[in-house]
Amino acid sequence: MSSAEPTAPLPATQSPATLPAFSAPVVLKIGGIVLFVVGLVLWLLSFAAGSELAWSGWLIGSWYALGFPLFASFLLTINALASAGWGATLKRVPEAMTAFFPVAILPFAILAIGAMTSNLYDWSHHHDDGSLHAELIHHKEPWLNTTFWLVRMVVYFGLWTGFTWLMVRHSRKQDIDGDLKHTWAVRRLAAPFGIVFGLSVTFASIDYIKSIEPTWFSTMFGVYQFAGIMQAGFAMLILVLVALRNSGHLKEHVNENHYHTLGIWLISTSVFWAYIWFCQFMLIWYSNIPEETQHYFARWHGPWFWVSFLVNPLLNFAIPFLFLLPRPHKRNIKILSGVALVVLVGRFVDLWQFVAPRPKLVNHIPEPTLQPMETLLTAGPVIALVGLFIVILMIALERAPILARKDPFFEEGEHHHL
Amino acid sequence: MAKPPVQLFCGVFGDEDDTLDATRACREAGLEFHDVYAPYAVHGLDRAMGLPFSKVTWVTFCCGALGTTIALSGMTYASWWDWPVNVGGKEALPFPAFVPITFELTVLIGGVCTMLGMFALCLLYPGKKARLLHKGQTDDKFVIALKKTEDFNEQKAREIFQRHHAEEIATRDPGYNAADEPATGGAA
């Protein structure tokens, strides 16, 4: 097994078949498998605390892990559309991340079992008991019914897998022929995909996350999830690059200037997340309309307050903002990867405080049925599916040379400086 | 551009990367800069020149903090101290409602003062006459201006400029202003 990267352009006489394949560090593969098994065991244990809690955890984990390929597809899209050269030397990592789309169908198929067999979604086992709550859900049936929910799932995954498969295929073909037409092809795919991505992520976030509180209204929910997905995605990309660097890969071509750029992205997506998080809260707090405030009411009173309004903005905004503000910190790989780790925990907290409280109306007042400490096992599926994601990422990285040397932006990416 | 006390040895470049490399080489050779001029902000030029941390940052920070203070104290005074009004049953000091205004004033005052602070540090004011070392320095050319001090190594400087594809090398008197020169044919 060779971990050496080519240091000089390949001689012209070398045939495409001998392009050096990348062999992923074994430690990362094994680490991913260990995480997967440990997380799965934690998840099975959580069934002891009730199937509703266990399926909440599976929902958090599935959506959490799906965020990484979604982020990667969008990063490739905006880099292609903006002619961004800085990412050309590291683009094989986000490209490999998108390989998780077809695999992520599996956790979502398992989620569908949970949706149909447990109380995870109010609307999936709808009983018309004459209450106002039932009446409201009844009006949403044209959209929120199991059949259409499954059809939409197929459509989302079809679009995501299809578009990214085509984009990655063009990028890998360019490794062999170096033809500029592949760059244009990726761009032609990226423009419509930007629109497809915006709509599909909005609808998917409503379908999977927001519809656990089907009578709650928020017009900002799609962009709120988009912000979280991008923030956690950059954190994951940084950690993957650092892990590869520590095993001796991508040391020269991804240097402190590239980490600086990723650090700028991480701090700006953190600020964007905080902006959207606060906007959603403040507008609802201000107008004080019951169908909007019900979501925050259950979290504002009681122990969830500390999670939702203190730990969540601390991990997702205050720490990345303060630690990444100085220029040298963005160029320091230790500080940057530490902050990235905090942001990944913060992303779990953000989804956890949303999914796990499961508020129910008690005398017309929404009250959480589960308290924070009772629901920590919902982290199990997150650990499991992050492990699965890492294994799939490593397998996908081995499918192509780690450096896209014939990308027309490769040289610009090599000389990228800030 | 402040009037230099000594003659300047100027190299004119047409490329950003050449300028950056030449600037680094001049610094390593111990040549003293008057300044380096570029038509737009060039990443890393300040570090290549060895400039200290910009003072503008502190202007931004202090004025941003001033904006935060004005916003919070102003709103607290108006809506709580001076004339408390019940707005939709909210508490007298509704912090969430203060956040957007505090943010806006912080950014506004911080941003405007950054611009004013930059003008002050560059000695710029409306109607100031342009002082240029080369007509293209606000268009598409980069100028490295070195101080011709007594121990100035002209041979070395010329060699560095030529090695980095300088388009023009010239010595300029302290009072020289390219803006005064008549247009030399062409499309001008």
Side-chain angles (χ1 to χ4, degrees):
Chain A
M1 192 192 82
S2 156
S3 65
E5 289 168 25
T7 49
L10 292 165
T13 51
Q14 204 161 0
S15 74
T18 57
L19 280 171
F22 174 73
S23 46
V26 180
V27 60
L28 288 180
K29 283 187 193 168
I30 293 173
I33 293 168
V34 169
L35 284 179
F36 181 66
V37 172
V38 168
L40 223 49
V41 169
L42 286 175
W43 181 53
L44 293 175
L45 284 177
S46 71
F47 271 98
S51 67
E52 202 174 315
L53 177 83
W55 287 114
S56 296
W58 192 256
L59 171 62
I60 297 173
S62 307
W63 184 245
Y64 187 98
L66 180 67
F68 302 128
L70 280 175
F71 149 80
S73 66
F74 195 63
L75 179 66
L76 292 170
T77 299
I78 52 179
N79 276 1
L81 290 180
S83 297
W86 69 271
T89 53
L90 54 85
K91 76 168 182 177
R92 281 290 139 82
V93 180
E95 277 178 12
M97 279 181 169
T98 62
F100 194 62
F101 274 136
V103 181
I105 295 169
L106 200 68
F108 274 84
I110 295 170
L111 179 72
I113 298 170
M116 283 183 267
T117 59
S118 79
N119 288 335
L120 181 63
Y121 294 109
D122 261 355
W123 49 263
S124 67
H125 50 91
H126 178 53
H127 303 295
D128 199 353
D129 54 4
S131 70
L132 200 58
H133 187 68
E135 167 93 20
L136 274 169
I137 294 176
H138 177 68
H139 282 293
K140 291 165 191 280
E141 256 179 21
W143 184 268
L144 290 181
N145 62 75
T146 316
T147 316
F148 192 24
W149 188 79
L150 288 171
V151 169
R152 287 197 300 272
M153 188 185 284
V154 173
V155 172
Y156 298 147
F157 278 91
L159 286 170
W160 295 332
T161 311
F163 267 99
T164 51
W165 183 76
L166 286 171
M167 285 200 263
V168 171
R169 196 176 63 138
H170 274 294
S171 167
R172 288 183 184 170
K173 273 187 176 173
Q174 196 169 42
D175 270 356
I176 295 167
D177 57 18
D179 198 330
L180 201 61
K181 73 176 184 200
H182 297 301
T183 302
W184 292 112
V186 169
R187 247 174 235 204
R188 270 195 298 276
L189 286 164
F193 183 70
I195 298 165
V196 167
F197 177 89
L199 292 173
S200 60
V201 168
T202 304
F203 286 122
S205 62
I206 291 168
D207 281 352
Y208 304 130
I209 305 293
K210 188 158 164 272
S211 76
I212 60 165
E213 288 179 35
T215 57
W216 178 55
F217 289 81
S218 165
T219 49
M220 294 187 70
F221 195 76
V223 72
Y224 169 54
Q225 286 306 309
F226 165 74
I229 285 168
M230 292 306 284
Q231 186 190 10
F234 276 110
M236 180 53 99
L237 179 58
I238 289 167
L239 286 178
V240 168
L241 286 169
V242 172
L244 290 176
R245 185 188 181 84
N246 288 344
S247 1
H249 303 284
L250 287 176
K251 275 192 151 162
E252 281 163 30
H253 291 90
V254 182
N255 57 37
E256 57 179 6
N257 292 298
H258 301 87
Y259 283 103
H260 188 168
T261 310
L262 290 166
I264 292 172
W265 266 115
L266 185 58
I267 191 175
S268 49
T269 48
S270 298
V271 172
F272 181 61
W273 176 88
Y275 176 73
I276 298 297
W277 173 81
F278 182 73
C279 266
Q280 179 174 267
F281 166 72
M282 192 204 64
L283 294 175
I284 288 172
W285 169 86
Y286 228 133
S287 55
N288 209 6
I289 301 168
E291 63 255 37
E292 291 176 356
T293 48
Q294 54 172 293
H295 168 78
Y296 286 111
F297 193 95
R299 289 157 183 83
W300 187 265
H301 303 280
W304 281 104
F305 176 84
W306 303 101
V307 179
S308 297
F309 293 95
L310 207 83
V311 178
N312 196 14
L314 183 79
L315 298 183
N316 283 309
F317 169 63
I319 289 178
F321 181 73
L322 292 175
F323 277 87
L324 289 185
L325 206 48
R327 181 181 196 269
H329 286 193
K330 294 196 261 293
R331 300 172 79 86
N332 182 322
I333 287 167
K334 278 196 180 130
I335 294 175
L336 191 60
S337 47
V339 170
L341 206 58
V342 169
V343 166
L344 282 183
V345 175
R347 174 74 181 146
F348 165 70
V349 171
D350 194 21
L351 290 175
W352 173 49
Q353 62 87 30
F354 196 99
V355 176
R358 311 208 48 78
K360 294 276 177 331
L361 285 178
V362 180
N363 297 326
H364 302 293
I365 291 171
E367 279 180 12
T369 50
L370 295 166
Q371 297 309 327
M373 286 307 142
E374 300 166 0
T375 59
L376 277 177
L377 274 181
T378 51
V382 173
I383 296 168
L385 294 175
V386 165
L388 181 64
F389 168 75
I390 292 171
V391 175
I392 300 298
L393 174 68
M394 291 304 139
I395 293 171
L397 275 175
E398 288 180 342
R399 296 265 183 89
I402 193 79
L403 293 172
R405 283 189 179 279
K406 290 189 179 166
D407 186 306
F409 288 102
F410 189 81
E411 199 180 330
E412 186 182 332
E414 263 185 319
H415 297 289
H416 173 65
H417 65 87
L418 282 172
Chain B
M1 176 184 131
K3 191 174 171 180
V6 290
Q7 277 194 322
L8 297 178
F9 189 70
C10 303
V12 181
F13 299 82
D15 182 83
E16 175 187 323
D17 292 322
D18 283 339
T19 315
L20 262 179
D21 292 341
T23 306
R24 261 185 223 110
C26 288
R27 185 167 169 238
E28 275 155 23
L31 300 165
E32 198 183 342
F33 291 106
H34 171 63
D35 214 337
V36 179
Y37 299 93
Y40 53 86
V42 174
H43 279 302
L45 188 57
D46 48 348
R47 266 164 285 274
M49 286 171 72
L51 291 180
F53 197 68
S54 171
K55 290 186 202 75
V56 179
T57 309
W58 293 106
V59 175
T60 310
F61 177 77
C62 294
C63 294
L66 180 72
T68 311
T69 315
I70 291 175
L72 284 178
S73 55
M75 284 184 290
T76 307
Y77 172 76
S79 69
W80 179 68
W81 179 266
D82 186 48
W83 198 273
V85 177
N86 185 335
V87 181
K90 299 279 189 285
E91 52 267 48
L93 267 179
F95 182 68
F98 286 2
V99 170
I101 296 163
T102 309
F103 170 76
E104 295 296 344
L105 268 187
T106 305
V107 173
L108 177 74
I109 298 184
V112 169
C113 289
T114 303
M115 187 189 70
L116 294 177
M118 204 186 69
F119 282 173
L121 287 171
C122 297
L123 303 172
L124 283 174
Y125 49 86
K128 178 172 170 151
K129 193 174 182 308
R131 285 181 60 86
L132 305 174
L133 284 170
H134 187 276
K135 281 216 160 157
Q137 98 185 34
T138 55
D139 182 11
D140 60 350
K141 299 285 182 241
F142 304 81
V143 182
I144 298 179
L146 300 170
K147 279 184 186 164
K148 267 195 143 180
T149 45
E150 273 162 31
D151 54 347
F152 181 69
N153 186 345
E154 183 165 336
Q155 197 54 43
K156 180 85 190 154
R158 187 175 293 276
E159 189 266 319
I160 289 172
F161 284 174
Q162 277 166 352
R163 183 150 48 88
H164 293 96
H165 318 111
E167 294 175 357
E168 203 179 316
I169 297 172
T171 299
R172 300 297 186 197
D173 289 328
Y176 174 79
N177 190 355
D180 292 335
E181 300 216 330
T184 49

